[in-house]
Amino acid sequence: MDPLEDVLTLLETRSYLSVSLAAGGHWALRFDPPPAVKFNAVRRGSCLLEVDGVDEPIELAEGDCYLLTRRRPFTLRSDPEAVPVEAAPVFAGADGGIARVGQGDDVFLIGGGFFFGSRAQELLLDRLPPVVHLPAGTRHAETVQWALTSIDRELTHPSMASTLVAEHLAVVMLVHVLRLHLEREPHAVSGWLAGLGDRVVATALSALHRDPARSWTVAELASTAAVSRSTLAARFKATVGQGPLEYLTRWRIELAARQLREGSGTLASIAHSVGYGSESALSVAFKRVLGVPPGDYRKHQTTS
């Protein structure tokens, strides 16, 4: 199994597409904190992005895209002198799926966002910087551009199930954005996501995700990755921040937690499916990792 695919599936990743933006001349829009991970792509023209808590504005050119991984206010503007207006009324007055600001339409952006399950903050979002900016023309960025062009086409020339197709394409875009970010800035992320940027660690992660119920040893994982035990342990700790068996425990608990949220299986059956020989063994590990017993966790999830 692919660890990135596994985590996005575990986090119940869903996408949405928002109203597009056409702008021209002298303009600026101030946005409230987005309700989810926000993305925009510049399909035409250029503008500036300013995010609260980020020191410098980001210059966005045609073909660029970005992710906002924190719920922070942000501003899009034509130039530093433009005085921003609130974005919400502008987007509320959108016509034909396009909001307009300023004079003309020399700038055009498409956008949307991603909703995740309850564990997204720790498993994914905390591993990323507040803004992930992918300039056009960077190595392998063609894959992102293909997804964006396809989304744009579905929105501009809608046909049967266009919204569904575009939303799935947005998830494809997210996967490629994360891949490219890892490739461009491997030291800007941490945890399991950083491990995907190390060939040896990524091989071990894939083995753990492929068979999480197996009684793995560090020696077996090292053999899978074709390195020594000491090499695997050192590289795993340096990138992921914990040892391979500690990571395995946490991943098993994440899988168990998902089953508790979504199903009605017994604790004993869940324990067996993720590699624990008994309900009590799962309960001890579950409380150590998530801070509550699995029974209490299930009750909270079903009542919240």
Side-chain angles (χ1 to χ4, degrees):
M1 297 291 289
D2 178 85
L4 178 55
E5 178 183 347
D6 286 350
V7 172
L8 291 177
T9 300
L10 183 77
L11 295 180
E12 303 154 5
T13 307
R14 295 179 292 113
S15 67
Y16 70 91
L17 298 173
S18 61
V19 170
S20 300
L21 173 65
H26 194 59
W27 62 274
L29 287 176
R30 175 71 170 174
F31 293 80
D32 291 332
V37 172
K38 173 71 176 173
F39 81 86
N40 274 121
V42 183
R43 304 299 294 161
R44 183 171 64 246
S46 61
C47 60
L48 295 174
L49 167 67
E50 298 170 353
V51 180
D52 284 20
V54 176
D55 292 338
E56 297 294 330
I58 297 171
E59 296 182 5
L60 300 174
E62 185 171 316
D64 286 13
C65 66
Y66 66 87
L67 293 176
L68 300 180
T69 65
R70 307 288 191 275
R71 294 184 178 182
R72 298 181 181 181
F74 66 100
T75 300
L76 291 171
R77 62 170 77 235
S78 59
D79 58 89
E81 286 72 39
V83 177
V85 298
E86 291 299 319
V90 174
F91 277 75
D95 182 26
I98 301 175
R100 298 183 180 275
V101 64
Q103 302 296 319
D105 59 357
D106 52 297
V107 180
F108 190 77
L109 292 89
I110 62 173
F114 303 96
F115 289 109
F116 301 100
S118 59
R119 296 288 293 156
Q121 195 66 47
E122 181 177 346
L123 289 179
L124 178 63
L125 302 183
D126 284 347
R127 313 297 183 183
L128 296 167
V131 184
V132 176
H133 173 217
L134 285 179
T138 51
R139 186 169 178 261
H140 297 314
E142 295 87 354
T143 49
V144 173
Q145 291 306 313
W146 170 83
L148 291 171
T149 299
S150 300
I151 292 170
D152 201 358
R153 186 183 303 117
E154 293 291 338
L155 296 178
T156 306
H157 305 289
S159 58
M160 185 175 62
S162 280
T163 299
L164 179 63
V165 171
E167 289 174 350
H168 281 290
L169 285 166
V171 176
V172 171
M173 185 209 72
L174 173 64
V175 171
H176 284 300
V177 166
L178 293 175
R179 284 178 176 173
L180 295 175
H181 180 64
L182 274 173
E183 185 173 297
R184 289 176 59 237
E185 301 185 55
H187 302 298
V189 295
S190 61
W192 66 270
L193 196 55
L196 298 183
D198 182 300
R199 179 190 59 81
V200 168
V201 176
T203 300
L205 283 170
S206 295
L208 293 174
H209 281 238
R210 186 168 54 249
D211 192 1
R214 177 175 171 176
S215 298
W216 286 100
T217 65
V218 176
E220 289 171 332
L221 286 170
S223 177
T224 300
V227 294
S228 68
R229 285 183 297 174
S230 58
T231 296
L232 176 64
R235 288 172 70 162
F236 210 102
K237 180 72 172 180
T239 54
V240 180
Q242 55 190 307
L245 298 187
E246 182 182 357
Y247 176 87
L248 174 59
T249 295
R250 296 186 66 86
W251 181 244
R252 286 172 167 175
I253 297 308
E254 294 297 343
L255 295 175
R258 183 184 185 185
Q259 292 189 56
L260 289 168
R261 292 194 303 269
E262 297 182 350
S264 57
T266 65
L267 291 184
S269 66
I270 293 173
H272 178 74
S273 71
V274 298
Y276 288 98
S278 67
E279 179 181 327
S280 61
L282 171 64
S283 297
V284 170
F286 198 99
K287 185 173 182 179
R288 185 172 70 249
V289 172
L290 295 185
V292 294
D296 291 352
Y297 180 87
R298 170 176 270 169
K299 288 178 184 177
H300 176 74
Q301 295 297 317
T302 56
T303 58
S304 60

